[in-house]
Amino acid sequence: MRKLWIYTVTLLFFQQTYAQDTARYKGMTVNLDEVIVEAKRIGFDVNSFIKRVEDDTTFYRAFKNLHLLGYTADNDIRIYNKSNEIQASLKSQTIQSMQGRCRTMKVLSENITGDFFDKKGNYNYYTAELYGNLFFTKGTICADPTGEEPESSKGSMARHKAQLKQLIFNPGKPVRGVPIVGGKVAIFDPEVQRFYNFAISSQEYLGVSCYVFSAKAKPDLNSLDRGDVVVNELITYFNKDNFEIVGRKYSLSYKTMLFDFDVKMDVQMTKQQGLLIPALVTYDGTWDVPFKKRETAKFIARFHTFTTPQ
């Protein structure tokens, strides 16, 4: 009888501990560290927090907010060859000026090596073109109050670039119109979430006390399931005081007979003029797409000295 009683108490203890250290949300199990467990006891709503993470659009929105402020940017883009040597590069400092909702950009300094541009001045590399499309401005471009700007080009190429930006800068959300990969990045979808371990923890990040939501591909997936994983890791840091994103780290990869990619990014945010803005963006990735040579590149973009529109 005594042994039965000890066994029952022990079982109840572990059941209670397990229940306290996890939460359920739309069928997914989310691990909680001891700080979050304690916060939950005094009112932290885990489900509301996860819902906020799932619905968040401020990260992608932050990149569009760069269209609404003046700033100085330090740009460092490097393209590597098969021997991991720099094949082409661009290092520059630019300043964006705002007149109302219209922006212009001036190059303060620039150093170019290799075949970064072709003879007509066009980008020779897809990553460089994507960077330029995101962060460089030619002429005067005007945005609406939300930072949306008219597309400079139409057709399938413009649509493809928009999808690629959505994939890279809004990870975890489905990307419409992208075959094979589009739905596999939707980590909250029941068919996709089973590949991941989810967790909420409390950490200091950039000197800010944060709630951290992480999704990491399970290490013990079989080869078939592993082949369906696109988002290897997605870690987002939220300011405990206002739930704004302080930073995000993520890794995306996928491989088929037609194409493959492997990309790692780290984005740190700042708050300027009431707007969430990227302060630092680092990228390390390789792409191999049809009709293009494999491209391996790294870039660092720093944004600082923000100014309000005149």
Side-chain angles (χ1 to χ4, degrees), residues 77-230:
I77 314 166
R78 304 177 185 186
I79 312 297
Y80 293 83
N81 60 23
K82 293 180 180 179
S83 300
N84 202 32
E85 299 169 332
I86 297 177
Q87 180 171 324
S89 69
L90 179 147
K91 191 171 184 177
S92 72
Q93 186 173 74
T94 54
I95 185 168
Q96 176 169 287
S97 301
M98 299 294 301
Q99 189 72 38
R101 292 200 301 269
C102 297
R103 62 192 181 111
T104 57
M105 186 167 286
K106 179 181 178 181
V107 178
L108 300 179
S109 64
E110 185 176 69
N111 183 44
I112 301 168
T113 68
D115 59 343
F116 198 85
F117 295 103
D118 64 19
K119 293 180 180 180
K120 295 182 179 180
N122 298 316
Y123 295 107
N124 257 328
Y125 298 94
Y126 200 75
T127 307
E129 186 176 1
L130 176 64
Y131 188 102
N133 186 258
L134 284 167
F135 302 130
F136 291 154
T137 300
K138 290 184 178 180
T140 300
I141 302 178
C142 300
D144 66 19
T146 69
E148 291 287 349
E149 296 177 344
E151 285 288 346
S152 58
S153 58
K154 303 292 184 181
S156 60
M157 181 57 70
R159 184 173 64 253
H160 181 60
K161 288 180 182 177
Q163 292 167 341
L164 186 58
K165 285 189 285 185
Q166 181 80 2
L167 174 64
I168 293 178
F169 295 107
N170 203 15
K173 301 291 178 65
V175 183
R176 294 181 180 179
V178 179
I180 306 175
V181 174
K184 296 181 187 295
V185 297
I187 60 175
F188 291 99
D189 187 282
E191 291 300 312
V192 180
Q193 66 179 235
R194 62 190 179 91
F195 300 140
Y196 293 91
N197 290 323
F198 298 93
I200 303 174
S201 60
S202 175
Q203 296 180 34
E204 289 284 322
Y205 181 75
L206 301 178
V208 179
S209 184
C210 295
Y211 293 122
V212 184
F213 183 86
S214 65
K216 299 181 180 181
K218 293 178 178 178
D220 56 350
L221 293 174
N222 61 49
S223 58
L224 187 62
D225 287 342
R226 180 65 224 180
D228 278 333
V229 170
V230 174

Side-chain angles (χ1 to χ4, degrees), residues 217-258:
K218 293 178 178 178
D220 56 350
L221 293 174
N222 61 49
S223 58
L224 187 62
D225 287 342
R226 180 65 224 180
D228 278 333
V229 170
V230 174
V231 181
N232 302 311
E233 179 180 79
L234 176 60
I235 304 173
T236 308
Y237 300 83
F238 294 87
N239 188 320
K240 285 185 178 180
D241 292 336
N242 52 25
F243 294 99
E244 290 179 341
I245 292 181
V246 180
R248 176 170 279 171
K249 300 177 181 179
Y250 49 104
S251 167
L252 312 173
S253 66
Y254 198 68
K255 186 173 184 177
T256 71
M257 294 292 290
L258 293 177

